[in-house]
Amino acid sequence: MAQTLGKQELALYGGPRLKQTPFGTGKRYGQRELEELREALEQNTLFYAHGRKTRQFEEAFARLYGIEHCVATSSGSAALHVAICALGIGVGDEVITSPITDVGSLIGILLQNAIPIFADVDPHTYNITAETIEPRITEKTRAIMPVHLAGNPCDMDPILKLAEANNLWVIEDCAQAYLTRYKGRLVGTLGHVGCFSLNDFKHISAGDAGLLITHDPEIARQARLFSDKYYDREKGGRNPERLGMNYRISELQSAVGLAQLERLPWICQRRTQIGLALTAGIRGLPGIYPHEVTEGGECSFWFYLFRVEEDEAGVDASTFADALKAEGIPANYGYIKKPIYLWPFLRERRIYPNFNWPEDFKQYGKPLRFTEGLCPVAEEVLRTCIQIPLSEFYTDQDVSDIVAAIRKVSRAFAPG
Ligand SMILES: *Cc1c(COP(=O)(O)O)cnc(C)c1O
C-alpha cells in the first residue's frame, strides 16, 4: 500500500508544486507546408477543381486508408453533413449517435431536418455500443453515427452486425480518430462513410478542412456534388438537379493538409504511447478509472479522459482537477460538462426560429424529450471525468510528471 500523504503537501493547499519544467512544445507547420503552399500559389488558381493540391490531398489520404474514394470538404462538420445528404437521410429520419461528442456530429442531421437520437455510452471507453444502440432503433431509424471518441474505436463488429440486420447506414465520425485501428482495420473504412476533421485542434490541421471516405463510388459522387452546390464540375456545372451546399475546400487548405499527412503516423504513434503510459501509471489507484482502450482496438488519444469515483477516491473529480492544475498539470473537469442533448439549443428547441421542432414535422410528429436521465452513464461519466489535453510534443518527463501528479493527488485524498 502506498504510504499516506498529508493534504498540506498538495500545491492546492500550499504545498510544493510537482511540475518543475515547462511542457514540451514543437512546431506543427514547417518547410513542407511552405513548399506545398508555394506550389499551390504558383498554379495561379486556388480553386479545388482547377488546381492539383486537392486531388493530391484526397489521393494521398485514400492511399493511407487503403480506400477507393476520398472527398475533401471545408470542415469535419461539412463532411458529416455531406454524408447525411449523400445517403439520402432527410425529414424525420432518425440517426443514432453519441451524447458525448462535438456539435459537429449533429449539425448535418439537424439541418437536413433529421432527428438525432442518443444512445448511452460504455462507462470506460465512453463510446456507444451495440447494446445501447439497439433499444433506440425504431421504424424511423435510418443510420447509426458512431463517434470514436478521443481516438478510441467503438466496438464496431456488433454495431455493423446490428446495422446490417436493420438495414441502416453507418457513418463513422472519425474527427478525433486518425489512424485508429479496430481488430487491425482502420476506423472510417468499416461503415459506409467515414468523416474526419482538420480543424486547428485535431491531430492534423489545415486551419479548417474535412475529409470523407467511402468504398462506394455513388456515395462519393453524391458527396462531391453536395459539397459543391450540386454542380457537376466534370460536365461543366450549373443547372443543378438538387440543392447542395458550398462546403468546398481551397487549394491552400489542401496544400497544408497534404503536407500534414506526412506527420500523421508519428503524431498518432506518439499519442498512443503517451496515452498507454498514463493508463499504466495510474491503474489501480483507488477510485481512479483510466481511459480504457476498446478490446481489439488501438487508440490515438486525441486527449486522455479518466474518471474519479468520489466514494472510493475520497475526493470529487472537480476538486481533483483543481489539485492537478495547482500541481502544474493541465486538467479540465467534465470535458463537455453535459451530454449534448442537455445543451440549450437542443433542450430548449432553438433549432429553427418560429418552429416547434420536431413536432411540427408531419413526417415525424413524435414527441421528443431531451431531459436529464436520458443517458445515465454518459451523465455519470461527465460528472466524474477529468480531461488531460495531450500533445505529441510532450516529453517522457512530462508524461511521468502527469502520472506522478495524479498519484500524488490520489494519495493525499484516498481514505486511509
Ligand atoms: C471536431 C469534431 C467535429 C467537427 O469538426 P469541424 O472540423 O470542427 O467541423 C465533429 N465531430 C467530432 C467528434 C469532433 O471532435
PDB file of all heavy atoms in Angstrom, residues 74-78 80 101-105 107 147 149 173-176 196-199 202 208-210 302 335, ligand 1:
ATOM      1  N   SER A  74     -14.785  21.600 -46.520  1.00  0.00           N
ATOM      2  CA  SER A  74     -14.297  22.766 -45.789  1.00  0.00           C
ATOM      3  C   SER A  74     -14.146  22.530 -44.294  1.00  0.00           C
ATOM      4  O   SER A  74     -13.466  23.282 -43.605  1.00  0.00           O
ATOM      5  CB  SER A  74     -15.239  23.951 -46.036  1.00  0.00           C
ATOM      6  OG  SER A  74     -16.573  23.567 -45.727  1.00  0.00           O
ATOM      7  N   SER A  75     -14.800  21.502 -43.748  1.00  0.00           N
ATOM      8  CA  SER A  75     -14.671  21.197 -42.314  1.00  0.00           C
ATOM      9  C   SER A  75     -15.126  19.769 -42.055  1.00  0.00           C
ATOM     10  O   SER A  75     -15.729  19.128 -42.935  1.00  0.00           O
ATOM     11  CB  SER A  75     -15.514  22.159 -41.469  1.00  0.00           C
ATOM     12  OG  SER A  75     -16.897  21.866 -41.610  1.00  0.00           O
ATOM     13  N   GLY A  76     -14.900  19.311 -40.843  1.00  0.00           N
ATOM     14  CA  GLY A  76     -15.397  17.994 -40.440  1.00  0.00           C
ATOM     15  C   GLY A  76     -16.917  17.987 -40.369  1.00  0.00           C
ATOM     16  O   GLY A  76     -17.569  17.022 -40.780  1.00  0.00           O
ATOM     17  N   SER A  77     -17.487  19.066 -39.838  1.00  0.00           N
ATOM     18  CA  SER A  77     -18.949  19.178 -39.780  1.00  0.00           C
ATOM     19  C   SER A  77     -19.531  19.123 -41.187  1.00  0.00           C
ATOM     20  O   SER A  77     -20.572  18.495 -41.422  1.00  0.00           O
ATOM     21  CB  SER A  77     -19.371  20.510 -39.141  1.00  0.00           C
ATOM     22  OG  SER A  77     -18.766  20.676 -37.890  1.00  0.00           O
ATOM     23  N   ALA A  78     -18.854  19.785 -42.125  1.00  0.00           N
ATOM     24  CA  ALA A  78     -19.305  19.780 -43.524  1.00  0.00           C
ATOM     25  C   ALA A  78     -19.259  18.363 -44.090  1.00  0.00           C
ATOM     26  O   ALA A  78     -20.201  17.921 -44.758  1.00  0.00           O
ATOM     27  CB  ALA A  78     -18.426  20.715 -44.358  1.00  0.00           C
ATOM     28  N   LEU A  80     -19.565  15.580 -42.496  1.00  0.00           N
ATOM     29  CA  LEU A  80     -20.667  14.814 -41.895  1.00  0.00           C
ATOM     30  C   LEU A  80     -22.013  15.228 -42.487  1.00  0.00           C
ATOM     31  O   LEU A  80     -22.876  14.382 -42.736  1.00  0.00           O
ATOM     32  CB  LEU A  80     -20.663  14.998 -40.372  1.00  0.00           C
ATOM     33  CG  LEU A  80     -19.522  14.268 -39.641  1.00  0.00           C
ATOM     34  CD1 LEU A  80     -19.273  14.872 -38.267  1.00  0.00           C
ATOM     35  CD2 LEU A  80     -19.832  12.769 -39.507  1.00  0.00           C
ATOM     36  N   THR A 101     -20.012  14.171 -27.608  1.00  0.00           N
ATOM     37  CA  THR A 101     -19.395  14.458 -28.899  1.00  0.00           C
ATOM     38  C   THR A 101     -19.348  15.958 -29.127  1.00  0.00           C
ATOM     39  O   THR A 101     -19.801  16.746 -28.288  1.00  0.00           O
ATOM     40  CB  THR A 101     -20.165  13.751 -30.045  1.00  0.00           C
ATOM     41  OG1 THR A 101     -19.413  13.884 -31.255  1.00  0.00           O
ATOM     42  CG2 THR A 101     -21.560  14.320 -30.246  1.00  0.00           C
ATOM     43  N   ASP A 102     -18.814  16.331 -30.276  1.00  0.00           N
ATOM     44  CA  ASP A 102     -18.792  17.722 -30.709  1.00  0.00           C
ATOM     45  C   ASP A 102     -20.121  18.012 -31.423  1.00  0.00           C
ATOM     46  O   ASP A 102     -20.710  17.115 -32.033  1.00  0.00           O
ATOM     47  CB  ASP A 102     -17.627  17.915 -31.676  1.00  0.00           C
ATOM     48  CG  ASP A 102     -17.495  19.342 -32.171  1.00  0.00           C
ATOM     49  OD1 ASP A 102     -16.865  20.143 -31.469  1.00  0.00           O
ATOM     50  OD2 ASP A 102     -18.028  19.651 -33.258  1.00  0.00           O
ATOM     51  N   VAL A 103     -20.553  19.241 -31.367  1.00  0.00           N
ATOM     52  CA  VAL A 103     -21.806  19.616 -32.016  1.00  0.00           C
ATOM     53  C   VAL A 103     -21.751  19.353 -33.528  1.00  0.00           C
ATOM     54  O   VAL A 103     -22.778  19.148 -34.170  1.00  0.00           O
ATOM     55  CB  VAL A 103     -22.163  21.083 -31.683  1.00  0.00           C
ATOM     56  CG1 VAL A 103     -21.165  22.049 -32.310  1.00  0.00           C
ATOM     57  CG2 VAL A 103     -23.572  21.415 -32.129  1.00  0.00           C
ATOM     58  N   GLY A 104     -20.538  19.281 -34.065  1.00  0.00           N
ATOM     59  CA  GLY A 104     -20.360  18.979 -35.486  1.00  0.00           C
ATOM     60  C   GLY A 104     -21.003  17.663 -35.911  1.00  0.00           C
ATOM     61  O   GLY A 104     -21.397  17.505 -37.072  1.00  0.00           O
ATOM     62  N   SER A 105     -21.121  16.714 -34.985  1.00  0.00           N
ATOM     63  CA  SER A 105     -21.806  15.455 -35.311  1.00  0.00           C
ATOM     64  C   SER A 105     -23.272  15.697 -35.639  1.00  0.00           C
ATOM     65  O   SER A 105     -23.871  14.946 -36.390  1.00  0.00           O
ATOM     66  CB  SER A 105     -21.735  14.474 -34.133  1.00  0.00           C
ATOM     67  OG  SER A 105     -20.414  14.286 -33.703  1.00  0.00           O
ATOM     68  N   ILE A 107     -24.820  18.809 -36.605  1.00  0.00           N
ATOM     69  CA  ILE A 107     -25.199  19.918 -37.494  1.00  0.00           C
ATOM     70  C   ILE A 107     -25.888  19.407 -38.751  1.00  0.00           C
ATOM     71  O   ILE A 107     -26.987  19.857 -39.099  1.00  0.00           O
ATOM     72  CB  ILE A 107     -23.955  20.776 -37.839  1.00  0.00           C
ATOM     73  CG1 ILE A 107     -23.493  21.547 -36.594  1.00  0.00           C
ATOM     74  CG2 ILE A 107     -24.272  21.740 -38.985  1.00  0.00           C
ATOM     75  CD1 ILE A 107     -22.157  22.265 -36.771  1.00  0.00           C
ATOM     76  N   VAL A 147     -19.274   7.609 -32.860  1.00  0.00           N
ATOM     77  CA  VAL A 147     -18.216   8.611 -32.676  1.00  0.00           C
ATOM     78  C   VAL A 147     -17.069   7.912 -31.953  1.00  0.00           C
ATOM     79  O   VAL A 147     -17.250   7.429 -30.833  1.00  0.00           O
ATOM     80  CB  VAL A 147     -18.722   9.797 -31.823  1.00  0.00           C
ATOM     81  CG1 VAL A 147     -17.602  10.809 -31.598  1.00  0.00           C
ATOM     82  CG2 VAL A 147     -19.933  10.452 -32.475  1.00  0.00           C
ATOM     83  N   LEU A 149     -14.596   8.366 -29.874  1.00  0.00           N
ATOM     84  CA  LEU A 149     -14.210   9.495 -29.025  1.00  0.00           C
ATOM     85  C   LEU A 149     -12.734   9.442 -28.634  1.00  0.00           C
ATOM     86  O   LEU A 149     -12.241   8.406 -28.185  1.00  0.00           O
ATOM     87  CB  LEU A 149     -15.086   9.533 -27.763  1.00  0.00           C
ATOM     88  CG  LEU A 149     -14.988  10.838 -26.988  1.00  0.00           C
ATOM     89  CD1 LEU A 149     -15.773  11.947 -27.675  1.00  0.00           C
ATOM     90  CD2 LEU A 149     -15.467  10.680 -25.553  1.00  0.00           C
ATOM     91  N   ASP A 173     -17.959   8.889 -37.331  1.00  0.00           N
ATOM     92  CA  ASP A 173     -17.383  10.197 -37.014  1.00  0.00           C
ATOM     93  C   ASP A 173     -15.973   9.961 -36.472  1.00  0.00           C
ATOM     94  O   ASP A 173     -15.794   9.576 -35.315  1.00  0.00           O
ATOM     95  CB  ASP A 173     -18.255  10.943 -35.997  1.00  0.00           C
ATOM     96  CG  ASP A 173     -17.726  12.343 -35.698  1.00  0.00           C
ATOM     97  OD1 ASP A 173     -16.527  12.599 -35.961  1.00  0.00           O
ATOM     98  OD2 ASP A 173     -18.497  13.174 -35.179  1.00  0.00           O
ATOM     99  N   CYS A 174     -14.993  10.185 -37.358  1.00  0.00           N
ATOM    100  CA  CYS A 174     -13.580   9.925 -37.029  1.00  0.00           C
ATOM    101  C   CYS A 174     -12.823  11.224 -36.791  1.00  0.00           C
ATOM    102  O   CYS A 174     -11.599  11.264 -36.922  1.00  0.00           O
ATOM    103  CB  CYS A 174     -12.910   9.176 -38.172  1.00  0.00           C
ATOM    104  SG  CYS A 174     -13.741   7.661 -38.651  1.00  0.00           S
ATOM    105  N   ALA A 175     -13.546  12.294 -36.455  1.00  0.00           N
ATOM    106  CA  ALA A 175     -12.896  13.600 -36.301  1.00  0.00           C
ATOM    107  C   ALA A 175     -11.794  13.569 -35.239  1.00  0.00           C
ATOM    108  O   ALA A 175     -10.840  14.334 -35.306  1.00  0.00           O
ATOM    109  CB  ALA A 175     -13.935  14.664 -35.952  1.00  0.00           C
ATOM    110  N   GLN A 176     -11.944  12.666 -34.263  1.00  0.00           N
ATOM    111  CA  GLN A 176     -10.937  12.580 -33.196  1.00  0.00           C
ATOM    112  C   GLN A 176     -10.113  11.301 -33.334  1.00  0.00           C
ATOM    113  O   GLN A 176      -9.371  10.949 -32.426  1.00  0.00           O
ATOM    114  CB  GLN A 176     -11.634  12.600 -31.824  1.00  0.00           C
ATOM    115  CG  GLN A 176     -12.501  13.830 -31.614  1.00  0.00           C
ATOM    116  CD  GLN A 176     -13.132  13.889 -30.229  1.00  0.00           C
ATOM    117  OE1 GLN A 176     -12.914  13.015 -29.398  1.00  0.00           O
ATOM    118  NE2 GLN A 176     -13.915  14.935 -29.980  1.00  0.00           N
ATOM    119  N   PHE A 196     -13.644  12.943 -41.268  1.00  0.00           N
ATOM    120  CA  PHE A 196     -12.501  13.425 -40.499  1.00  0.00           C
ATOM    121  C   PHE A 196     -12.484  14.948 -40.476  1.00  0.00           C
ATOM    122  O   PHE A 196     -13.084  15.582 -41.353  1.00  0.00           O
ATOM    123  CB  PHE A 196     -11.200  12.924 -41.134  1.00  0.00           C
ATOM    124  CG  PHE A 196     -11.073  11.421 -41.138  1.00  0.00           C
ATOM    125  CD1 PHE A 196     -11.737  10.665 -42.098  1.00  0.00           C
ATOM    126  CD2 PHE A 196     -10.322  10.772 -40.181  1.00  0.00           C
ATOM    127  CE1 PHE A 196     -11.641   9.278 -42.097  1.00  0.00           C
ATOM    128  CE2 PHE A 196     -10.219   9.386 -40.178  1.00  0.00           C
ATOM    129  CZ  PHE A 196     -10.882   8.631 -41.137  1.00  0.00           C
ATOM    130  N   SER A 197     -11.786  15.494 -39.485  1.00  0.00           N
ATOM    131  CA  SER A 197     -11.678  16.956 -39.350  1.00  0.00           C
ATOM    132  C   SER A 197     -10.221  17.371 -39.316  1.00  0.00           C
ATOM    133  O   SER A 197      -9.384  16.688 -38.720  1.00  0.00           O
ATOM    134  CB  SER A 197     -12.366  17.409 -38.054  1.00  0.00           C
ATOM    135  OG  SER A 197     -11.979  18.724 -37.716  1.00  0.00           O
ATOM    136  N   LEU A 198      -9.917  18.495 -39.970  1.00  0.00           N
ATOM    137  CA  LEU A 198      -8.598  19.108 -39.827  1.00  0.00           C
ATOM    138  C   LEU A 198      -8.745  20.512 -39.261  1.00  0.00           C
ATOM    139  O   LEU A 198      -8.100  21.459 -39.699  1.00  0.00           O
ATOM    140  CB  LEU A 198      -7.851  19.170 -41.158  1.00  0.00           C
ATOM    141  CG  LEU A 198      -7.338  17.845 -41.741  1.00  0.00           C
ATOM    142  CD1 LEU A 198      -8.359  17.247 -42.697  1.00  0.00           C
ATOM    143  CD2 LEU A 198      -6.000  18.035 -42.443  1.00  0.00           C
ATOM    144  N   ASN A 199      -9.662  20.677 -38.286  1.00  0.00           N
ATOM    145  CA  ASN A 199      -9.697  21.980 -37.615  1.00  0.00           C
ATOM    146  C   ASN A 199      -8.427  22.128 -36.784  1.00  0.00           C
ATOM    147  O   ASN A 199      -7.682  21.158 -36.608  1.00  0.00           O
ATOM    148  CB  ASN A 199     -11.006  22.196 -36.836  1.00  0.00           C
ATOM    149  CG  ASN A 199     -11.034  21.560 -35.451  1.00  0.00           C
ATOM    150  OD1 ASN A 199     -10.007  21.315 -34.830  1.00  0.00           O
ATOM    151  ND2 ASN A 199     -12.231  21.302 -34.962  1.00  0.00           N
ATOM    152  N   LYS A 202      -7.269  19.421 -34.009  1.00  0.00           N
ATOM    153  CA  LYS A 202      -7.236  17.976 -34.237  1.00  0.00           C
ATOM    154  C   LYS A 202      -5.791  17.483 -34.443  1.00  0.00           C
ATOM    155  O   LYS A 202      -4.872  18.279 -34.465  1.00  0.00           O
ATOM    156  CB  LYS A 202      -8.127  17.639 -35.438  1.00  0.00           C
ATOM    157  CG  LYS A 202      -9.614  18.001 -35.185  1.00  0.00           C
ATOM    158  CD  LYS A 202     -10.264  17.095 -34.165  1.00  0.00           C
ATOM    159  CE  LYS A 202     -11.463  17.665 -33.428  1.00  0.00           C
ATOM    160  NZ  LYS A 202     -12.638  17.901 -34.222  1.00  0.00           N
ATOM    161  N   ASP A 208      -8.784  24.802 -41.169  1.00  0.00           N
ATOM    162  CA  ASP A 208     -10.061  24.099 -41.170  1.00  0.00           C
ATOM    163  C   ASP A 208     -10.094  23.249 -42.430  1.00  0.00           C
ATOM    164  O   ASP A 208      -9.598  23.668 -43.472  1.00  0.00           O
ATOM    165  CB  ASP A 208     -11.251  25.070 -41.206  1.00  0.00           C
ATOM    166  CG  ASP A 208     -11.768  25.424 -39.816  1.00  0.00           C
ATOM    167  OD1 ASP A 208     -12.048  24.487 -39.044  1.00  0.00           O
ATOM    168  OD2 ASP A 208     -11.890  26.635 -39.515  1.00  0.00           O
ATOM    169  N   ALA A 209     -10.669  22.078 -42.334  1.00  0.00           N
ATOM    170  CA  ALA A 209     -10.918  21.220 -43.500  1.00  0.00           C
ATOM    171  C   ALA A 209     -11.566  19.943 -42.991  1.00  0.00           C
ATOM    172  O   ALA A 209     -11.596  19.674 -41.783  1.00  0.00           O
ATOM    173  CB  ALA A 209      -9.632  20.877 -44.257  1.00  0.00           C
ATOM    174  N   GLY A 210     -12.109  19.175 -43.927  1.00  0.00           N
ATOM    175  CA  GLY A 210     -12.690  17.884 -43.583  1.00  0.00           C
ATOM    176  C   GLY A 210     -12.423  16.892 -44.693  1.00  0.00           C
ATOM    177  O   GLY A 210     -12.084  17.267 -45.819  1.00  0.00           O
ATOM    178  N   TRP A 302      -6.586  11.493 -28.757  1.00  0.00           N
ATOM    179  CA  TRP A 302      -6.649  12.934 -29.014  1.00  0.00           C
ATOM    180  C   TRP A 302      -6.598  13.695 -27.680  1.00  0.00           C
ATOM    181  O   TRP A 302      -6.065  14.793 -27.586  1.00  0.00           O
ATOM    182  CB  TRP A 302      -7.926  13.278 -29.791  1.00  0.00           C
ATOM    183  CG  TRP A 302      -7.975  14.702 -30.225  1.00  0.00           C
ATOM    184  CD1 TRP A 302      -6.980  15.398 -30.848  1.00  0.00           C
ATOM    185  CD2 TRP A 302      -9.053  15.615 -30.058  1.00  0.00           C
ATOM    186  NE1 TRP A 302      -7.382  16.691 -31.087  1.00  0.00           N
ATOM    187  CE2 TRP A 302      -8.655  16.849 -30.605  1.00  0.00           C
ATOM    188  CE3 TRP A 302     -10.335  15.510 -29.496  1.00  0.00           C
ATOM    189  CZ2 TRP A 302      -9.478  17.962 -30.607  1.00  0.00           C
ATOM    190  CZ3 TRP A 302     -11.159  16.618 -29.511  1.00  0.00           C
ATOM    191  CH2 TRP A 302     -10.719  17.837 -30.059  1.00  0.00           C
ATOM    192  N   TYR A 335     -14.944  17.484 -19.235  1.00  0.00           N
ATOM    193  CA  TYR A 335     -14.871  17.502 -20.715  1.00  0.00           C
ATOM    194  C   TYR A 335     -15.937  18.424 -21.301  1.00  0.00           C
ATOM    195  O   TYR A 335     -15.753  19.639 -21.275  1.00  0.00           O
ATOM    196  CB  TYR A 335     -14.931  16.071 -21.282  1.00  0.00           C
ATOM    197  CG  TYR A 335     -14.851  16.035 -22.811  1.00  0.00           C
ATOM    198  CD1 TYR A 335     -13.973  16.844 -23.500  1.00  0.00           C
ATOM    199  CD2 TYR A 335     -15.643  15.164 -23.550  1.00  0.00           C
ATOM    200  CE1 TYR A 335     -13.904  16.816 -24.890  1.00  0.00           C
ATOM    201  CE2 TYR A 335     -15.573  15.127 -24.948  1.00  0.00           C
ATOM    202  CZ  TYR A 335     -14.710  15.969 -25.608  1.00  0.00           C
ATOM    203  OH  TYR A 335     -14.652  15.948 -26.970  1.00  0.00           O
TER     204      TYR A 335
HETATM  205  C1  LIG B   1     -14.063  18.318 -34.310  1.00  0.00           C
HETATM  206  C2  LIG B   1     -15.209  17.403 -34.403  1.00  0.00           C
HETATM  207  C3  LIG B   1     -16.216  17.532 -35.376  1.00  0.00           C
HETATM  208  C4  LIG B   1     -16.333  18.702 -36.288  1.00  0.00           C
HETATM  209  O1  LIG B   1     -15.220  19.030 -36.995  1.00  0.00           O
HETATM  210  P1  LIG B   1     -15.014  20.553 -37.518  1.00  0.00           P
HETATM  211  O2  LIG B   1     -13.895  20.415 -38.488  1.00  0.00           O
HETATM  212  O3  LIG B   1     -14.683  21.372 -36.327  1.00  0.00           O
HETATM  213  O4  LIG B   1     -16.276  20.972 -38.160  1.00  0.00           O
HETATM  214  C5  LIG B   1     -17.195  16.556 -35.437  1.00  0.00           C
HETATM  215  N1  LIG B   1     -17.216  15.524 -34.587  1.00  0.00           N
HETATM  216  C6  LIG B   1     -16.290  15.378 -33.630  1.00  0.00           C
HETATM  217  C7  LIG B   1     -16.362  14.198 -32.722  1.00  0.00           C
HETATM  218  C8  LIG B   1     -15.275  16.323 -33.477  1.00  0.00           C
HETATM  219  O5  LIG B   1     -14.379  16.184 -32.497  1.00  0.00           O
END
